[in-house]
Amino acid sequence: MLSDPFSHLPPTACRTIDTQKGDVLFRQDQTTSGLYLVVSGYVTLQRTGLGGDILTLHRAASGGLFAEASVFSATYHCDAICTEAGSVVKIAKADVLATMQSSPAFSQGFTRLLAVQVQQYRAHIELLAIPSAKERILVAVQAGYFDATVTELATRINLSHEACYRALRGLCNDGHMVRVGRGKYTLS
Amino acid sequence: MLSDPFSHLPPTACRTIDTQKGDVLFRQDQTTSGLYLVVSGYVTLQRTGLGGDILTLHRAASGGLFAEASVFSATYHCDAICTEAGSVVKIAKADVLATMQSSPAFSQGFTRLLAVQVQQYRAHIELLAIPSAKERILVAVQAGYFDATVTELATRINLSHEACYRALRGLCNDGHMVRVGRGKYTLS
DNA sequence: GAAAGCATATGATCCAGATCATAAGCTATC
DNA sequence: GATAGCTTATGATCTGGATCATATGCTTTC
């Protein structure tokens, strides 16, 4: 189940955790203890703004890794909340650091994972720069962002959910997308 | 001059390049040959949208590293353009990969740099989610984004330069900032 | 020192998206 | 099966920022 580089870790480094919807894996400013790999279900990384508004930074699906940067950080920088039941593997920070010392293969694999993250974030910043709501949604859907609810998509791409619904309808009218059911849209 | 982890690289891995304003270090989709460290001057990482609009992804100042992810990528994902004369050190991709195999200290140092990048991008995404122009600028200035022109700041935080000037004036009226000269503003 | 090019402003207008309001459908729970 | 809470959906209104226009100041260059 563990992806590539993690096979180099000692078995004791990993702990499987079953999650329920709404479970909190960690909160912002908590002391870091490790990083996580999603086995099944979904985990949302979010920050709560001063005004109480929720910002989704990342949504990790099956196979997705998150909080990798926590290995080099004293505290978590956002909240990790399970939006759907499933399970995650928690990998102890100390073991990651130790294995980086002993295994070049692990080191390189782990670094590659971080590099992928960097590229994903860059792509996301680019997406957020698209001024038109319709275009932004179209690109987001093409990039596979639309894997849950419309409301969830909206918060990820800095749109109100109303604007998101309207833009989706517009894209359907334009023939770029097709409505295939309540809250279900696909590219045409 | 080289920061921490790069002292583990063979001397031949690094090449110093003097840059003039406007110099292009690499362009999107070019084959990757290495990563860069800014010694002096500024390098902007940008992508040109389909409509010809320029999006600034990152701005590397003295001591800043960029294109680290290129080590694991076949092509560059954006353009690197020098916005001010100075010099950069180019570090060969092959040497980075080789040294990761041989030196755990380098590996860990390099990975830490990527982890920092991840956190910076996360913070940037958070910044972009701030709806009000005035607030967004205030946070950006506090985060040290305003190190060049107003126009440059505007493109980095997804605002028109007009909106940026107006918001700066507004922040001065509110007493949050002070205009200290033509195009110069500081926090009060 | 004239001309070109860019950053700095600021005013006027317009519109896309935020916000507010409303309602219906689906799910879970007691 | 009633209630609560959520997502979906759409209409009405309002506003903040984009866009367009204009002008001035600073640098660079020939």
Side-chain angles (χ1 to χ4, degrees):
Chain A
M1 185 54 70
L2 286 182
S3 63
D4 237 31
F6 299 109
S7 57
H8 299 88
L9 288 167
T12 51
C14 305
R15 189 159 56 90
T16 299
I17 301 172
D18 290 319
T19 58
Q20 294 305 311
K21 186 174 173 179
D23 277 4
V24 177
L25 294 172
F26 56 77
R27 287 220 180 264
Q28 203 175 138
D29 299 326
Q30 274 183 3
T31 302
T32 51
S33 51
L35 58 118
Y36 293 82
L37 179 77
V38 178
V39 177
S40 61
Y42 287 93
V43 178
T44 291
L45 297 185
Q46 60 189 35
R47 286 191 67 150
T48 308
L50 293 175
D53 49 310
I54 289 173
L55 167 66
T56 303
L57 295 168
H58 191 72
R59 201 173 125 85
S62 181
L65 197 73
F66 63 93
E68 324 80 340
S70 71
V71 171
F72 300 106
S73 176
T75 56
Y76 291 108
H77 289 65
C78 53
D79 300 344
I81 301 189
C82 305
T83 51
E84 247 162 88
S87 64
V88 299
V89 172
K90 179 173 180 176
I91 301 162
K93 175 178 166 176
D95 289 305
V96 171
L97 286 169
T99 310
M100 283 192 73
Q101 297 286 340
S102 59
S103 164
F106 172 77
S107 237
Q108 191 164 327
F110 185 64
T111 309
R112 178 180 284 113
L113 287 174
L114 276 178
V116 168
Q117 286 281 311
V118 167
Q119 282 170 10
Q120 282 178 355
Y121 278 122
R122 274 213 276 259
H124 190 65
I125 289 169
E126 208 178 335
L127 173 76
L128 293 177
I130 299 172
S132 143
K134 272 160 73 173
E135 265 185 72
R136 187 144 91 230
I137 289 177
L138 193 57
V139 173
V141 171
Q142 286 166 347
Y145 278 59
F146 191 11
D147 56 359
T149 67
V150 175
T151 302
E152 193 273 340
L153 173 68
T155 70
R156 278 170 84 183
I157 64 177
N158 290 357
L159 278 180
S160 68
H161 63 96
E162 295 96 327
C164 211
Y165 285 116
R166 266 185 267 271
L168 281 167
R169 185 167 48 146
L171 287 166
C172 290
N173 290 341
D174 298 350
H176 290 103
M177 295 191 68
V178 183
R179 206 192 98 116
V180 292
R182 218 182 120 79
K184 305 281 174 194
Y185 302 82
T186 49
L187 294 167
S188 64
Chain B
M1 186 51 72
L2 286 181
S3 60
D4 237 33
F6 299 109
S7 56
H8 297 89
L9 287 167
T12 52
C14 304
R15 189 160 55 88
T16 299
I17 302 171
D18 289 321
T19 57
Q20 294 304 310
K21 185 175 172 177
D23 278 4
V24 177
L25 295 173
F26 56 77
R27 285 216 180 268
Q28 200 176 140
D29 298 327
Q30 276 184 4
T31 302
T32 50
S33 52
L35 59 121
Y36 294 82
L37 179 78
V38 178
V39 177
S40 60
Y42 286 93
V43 178
T44 291
L45 298 186
Q46 58 190 35
R47 286 191 70 150
T48 309
L50 293 174
D53 49 311
I54 289 172
L55 167 66
T56 303
L57 293 169
H58 191 73
R59 202 173 125 84
S62 181
L65 196 73
F66 62 93
E68 323 82 339
S70 70
V71 171
F72 299 105
S73 176
T75 56
Y76 290 108
H77 288 66
C78 54
D79 299 344
I81 302 190
C82 305
T83 51
E84 248 163 87
S87 63
V88 298
V89 172
K90 179 175 179 174
I91 301 162
K93 176 179 164 174
D95 289 306
V96 171
L97 286 170
T99 311
M100 282 192 74
Q101 297 287 341
S102 60
S103 164
F106 171 76
S107 236
Q108 189 164 328
F110 184 64
T111 307
R112 178 181 283 112
L113 287 175
L114 276 177
V116 168
Q117 286 280 313
V118 167
Q119 281 170 12
Q120 281 178 356
Y121 278 121
R122 275 214 275 261
H124 190 64
I125 289 170
E126 208 178 336
L127 173 74
L128 294 178
I130 299 173
S132 143
K134 273 160 74 172
E135 264 186 74
R136 187 143 90 230
I137 289 179
L138 192 56
V139 173
V141 171
Q142 287 166 346
Y145 278 60
F146 191 12
D147 56 359
T149 67
V150 175
T151 301
E152 192 272 339
L153 172 67
T155 70
R156 280 170 82 186
I157 63 175
N158 291 357
L159 279 180
S160 69
H161 61 95
E162 295 97 326
C164 211
Y165 285 118
R166 266 186 266 272
L168 281 167
R169 188 170 41 148
L171 287 167
C172 291
N173 290 342
D174 297 349
H176 290 105
M177 295 192 67
V178 184
R179 207 192 98 115
V180 292
R182 220 180 118 79
K184 305 280 174 194
Y185 301 81
T186 48
L187 293 167
S188 62

